[in-house]
Amino acid sequence: MEEVKVLGSWPSPYGYRVQWALELKGVEYEYIDEDLFNKSDMLLKYNPVHKKIPVLVRHGKSIAESAVILEYIEETWPQNPLLPKDPYERAMARFWINFVDNKDKAAPIVTFFIGVGEEHKKATEETKELLKILEEQALGEKKYFGGDEIGMVDLAMGWMAYFGVIEEIVDVKILDAESFPRLHAWIQNFRAHPVIKSNLPDHDKLLVSYTQKRQMFLGSTTT
Amino acid sequence: MAEVKLIASSLSLFCTRIEWALKLKGVEYEYLEEDLRNKSPLLLSYNPVHKKVPVLVHNGKPIAESLIVLEYIEETWKDSSLLPEDPYEKAMARFWAKFADEKCLFGAFDACRAEGDEKEKAIETAVESFAFLENQLERRKYFGGEQIGYLDLALGWIPHWLNVMEEVGCMKLADAQRFPLLHQWAEDFIGTPLIKECLPPRDKLVEYFTASINYLRSLAASQQ
C-alpha cells in the first residue's frame, strides 16, 4: 500500500506545491499540518537537518526540500508528467524553479510584505523587475509555465496565485492586468484549474493570517 | 565548430564541477575562459538573468546554474551514470548537494571572511554542517557508492578549495581527526587523475580568496 504522508504548514506555498503535485497525479496521501512555533517530534524526526516543511514520507523514508520532493514525485509517479521530456526544456524548468527559490532573488518580495518607507518603495520596484522577468522570460506566450498543461514550474509559481492578499494588506497593487497581462491571465487560469481550485487557501483566512504575520514583523522592528 | 562549449572561470569551483562531469562522460567541449571583472557580451547574452558562470552551451542553447547543468549532462549523455536509478537515492543526492552549497560552502566562506567573536560562531556553524556530510559517507568509498557520482562532484570543492579557505581564513573546518571519513574521501577523490587535472593552481586560489576577503572586510568596515 502506498503510504504517503505530507507534512506542511498552512498557508505555506512550499507545502502546497507538494500537495498539488500529488493531487495532479492522483496519489493518495495523508496531510499533516505543522505548527512551526511548536514543531512536532515527527517533523524533527523526519527533517532533522533543516526542521522545516514540507516533508514527504513514504515507506518510512523522508524527503525534504520542496524542489527535491517534486522531482521525487515526478519520478515515482510518472502519470500526468510535470516536467517536459526534452533535457533542455527540463533544464529550463529547473532554472526557473531555482530562480524563484533563490533567497536573494526573492528577498524583495519579503520586504514588499513587511518593509516600510524607503525600503518598501525600493522593494516594490525590485518586485516589479522580478515579475517582469517571469512574465517575459519564464512564461512568455504560453498558457502555463509548463506549456499547455500545468507543470512543475507552475506549482513553484503558485505563491503568485494568492499574492493578491499581500497586495491588499500592504495596500499596493503591482500584479495588475495592465502591468502584467500574461501573469495576470496565468493566475486566473491556475486558480481555475479543477485540481488547484479545490486546494487553495481561503482568502479571508489568509487575510487574517498574513495581517497577523505582518504585525508581528513590524512590531519586532519598532522601538 | 564545437557542439559543446563551456563558458567558465578557471578558479571557479562551480565551473570545475562541470568539467569533471563532461570528462567523466567523455564529452568533448570547447572551454571559453571568462574574465569575471569584465564580463563578455557572450556571457551576458547566454545568462542574462544571473550573468554568472558556468554556462554550458549545447547546440547553441545555454544552460546555467551548475547543479542544473550537471542534471542536463546526466540526461543528455547516458554513459557513466552520475545519479542513482532509485528515486529516493536520487532525492538524497540532490538534497545533500543543495545542503552542501547552502550550508557548508557558504558557511566556510563566511567563517573565512568573519573576524573576532563573529568568526568563532561562524566556524562552529560551518563545522556542524560538515558533520552532516561525514555521517552521509558511512562505509562507502564515494558519496556515489563505488564510483564518483553527482554528489561527489558537487562536494568536489572540499579537497582543494576548502583547504585554501582554511589557510586564508586562518581556521580549520574539516579536521582529519574529527571527520576521518570525509578526509579519506577527499584524498581518494583528489587522487583520481581526471579530477586532479582540472584543478586550478593553488597559489592562484590563495590570491583570489585573499583579495575577496580583504575586499569584503573593507566594504564592511566602510559601512560602519
Side-chain angles (χ1 to χ4, degrees):
Chain A
M1 194 186 92
E2 296 283 19
E3 204 196 82
V4 181
K5 288 199 227 290
V6 173
L7 281 70
S9 185
W10 188 93
S12 163
Y14 298 102
Y16 268 110
R17 287 177 183 185
V18 175
Q19 288 187 266
W20 289 329
L22 293 169
E23 298 276 348
L24 282 163
K25 288 171 179 282
V27 179
E28 289 200 15
Y29 64 96
E30 183 193 349
Y31 175 77
I32 297 154
D33 202 75
E34 282 286 327
D35 172 3
L36 297 179
F37 292 105
N38 188 17
K39 294 176 182 180
S40 72
D41 290 340
M42 191 189 268
L43 175 58
L44 300 178
K45 170 184 162 187
Y46 284 135
N47 191 1
V49 177
H50 298 296
K51 306 175 176 60
K52 286 182 177 177
I53 59 93
V55 182
L56 184 129
V57 186
R58 181 172 175 247
H59 299 159
K61 295 198 255 191
S62 59
I63 301 147
E65 294 297 291
S66 65
V68 176
I69 297 172
L70 289 177
E71 298 257 11
Y72 173 82
I73 290 172
E74 178 71 353
E75 286 156 14
T76 305
W77 296 285
Q79 66 271 28
N80 298 345
L82 298 172
L83 278 179
K85 280 199 169 58
D86 173 65
Y88 178 74
E89 297 302 327
R90 289 162 79 90
M92 287 301 100
R94 288 171 175 142
F95 178 88
W96 290 114
I97 296 171
N98 176 271
F99 175 81
V100 90
D101 279 357
N102 182 315
K103 286 195 182 70
D104 295 331
K105 293 284 178 203
I109 303 174
V110 178
T111 312
F112 175 75
F113 179 40
I114 59 172
V116 287
E118 275 311 307
E119 204 188 38
H120 189 263
K121 268 204 194 118
K122 186 164 179 270
T124 304
E125 290 314 304
E126 288 174 342
T127 302
K128 284 186 194 166
E129 277 163 30
L130 198 110
L131 292 173
K132 189 166 187 282
I133 293 173
L134 293 179
E135 164 131 330
E136 291 174 5
Q137 297 183 46
L139 183 60
E141 301 295 329
K142 297 173 290 183
K143 180 179 183 186
Y144 294 112
F145 289 93
D148 292 328
E149 305 289 341
I150 283 184
M152 217 182 264
V153 183
D154 297 273
L155 304 190
M157 300 295 175
W159 58 272
M160 262 196 271
Y162 43 102
F163 185 68
V165 178
I166 292 180
E167 289 174 299
E168 236 183 279
I169 294 168
V170 165
D171 201 18
V172 175
K173 188 84 186 148
I174 336 180
L175 233 178
D176 57 276
E178 214 183 291
S179 315
F180 300 103
R182 284 173 268 175
L183 284 182
H184 193 259
W186 175 84
I187 291 172
Q188 313 315 311
N189 287 327
F190 186 76
R191 289 186 65 101
H193 187 285
V195 169
I196 305 298
K197 195 168 165 173
S198 45
N199 289 283
L200 276 173
D202 173 76
H203 172 271
D204 295 342
K205 288 203 175 100
L206 267 181
L207 203 59
V208 170
S209 171
Y210 279 165
T211 304
Q212 274 174 359
K213 279 202 175 87
R214 188 161 183 265
Q215 302 291 36
M216 205 172 76
F217 279 111
L218 291 178
S220 70
T221 55
T222 51
T223 47
Chain B
M1 191 176 95
E3 198 184 279
V4 182
K5 292 193 222 282
L6 177 63
I7 305 173
S9 160
S10 60
L11 300 182
S12 160
L13 62 96
F14 300 104
C15 297
T16 310
R17 284 175 181 174
I18 309 307
E19 287 203 89
W20 286 331
L22 292 169
K23 285 193 194 290
L24 278 167
K25 287 185 178 269
V27 179
E28 294 214 3
Y29 62 98
E30 184 189 350
Y31 181 95
L32 299 170
E33 178 75 18
E34 187 69 32
D35 176 1
L36 297 178
R37 291 159 305 179
N38 187 19
K39 293 176 181 179
S40 70
L42 191 74
L43 174 62
L44 300 178
S45 75
Y46 278 142
N47 191 2
V49 174
H50 299 297
K51 307 176 177 56
K52 288 181 175 176
V53 290
V55 179
L56 187 83
V57 187
H58 185 207
N59 295 330
K61 296 199 240 180
I63 301 122
E65 294 300 295
S66 65
L67 295 181
I68 294 175
V69 177
L70 287 183
E71 298 250 16
Y72 176 82
I73 291 170
E74 173 72 348
E75 288 172 2
T76 304
W77 292 282
K78 309 279 188 189
D79 286 343
S80 308
S81 267
L82 296 173
L83 279 168
E85 283 280 328
D86 175 64
Y88 176 74
E89 294 303 327
K90 229 187 251 193
M92 289 302 100
R94 288 171 173 145
F95 174 87
W96 288 112
K98 195 165 190 273
F99 171 83
D101 270 1
E102 286 171 9
K103 304 285 179 192
C104 305
L105 176 53
F106 285 100
F109 190 72
D110 224 33
C112 185
R113 173 202 57 80
E115 292 174 292
D117 286 336
E118 204 200 328
K119 195 178 189 72
E120 285 299 312
K121 189 152 194 306
I123 291 171
E124 204 185 298
T125 306
V127 171
E128 273 167 25
S129 70
F130 282 99
F132 279 111
L133 296 184
E134 173 82 3
N135 292 340
Q136 285 312 298
L137 267 169
E138 296 168 348
R139 286 173 308 276
R140 294 177 292 184
K141 182 175 185 188
Y142 297 112
F143 287 94
E146 285 311 302
Q147 307 287 346
I148 285 175
Y150 167 93
L151 186 53
D152 300 277
L153 300 190
L155 298 173
W157 55 275
I158 292 173
H160 194 58
W161 280 262
L162 177 62
N163 185 263
V164 171
M165 283 193 257
E166 285 174 329
E167 180 186 312
V168 170
C170 306
M171 59 182 189
K172 197 70 190 156
L173 297 178
D175 186 69
Q177 272 180 333
R178 191 160 169 171
F179 303 126
L181 296 176
L182 199 58
H183 184 79
Q184 185 59 54
W185 167 82
E187 292 207 325
D188 290 336
F189 184 77
I190 214 86
T192 312
L194 184 152
I195 298 297
K196 199 168 179 161
E197 79 191 28
C198 297
L199 297 177
R202 198 178 184 280
D203 56 349
K204 289 272 180 290
L205 276 183
V206 172
E207 219 176 270
Y208 169 78
F209 276 105
T210 307
S212 295
I213 299 304
N214 288 340
Y215 171 73
L216 288 170
R217 284 179 183 166
S218 68
L219 206 66
S222 70
Q223 282 167 352
Q224 274 162 10

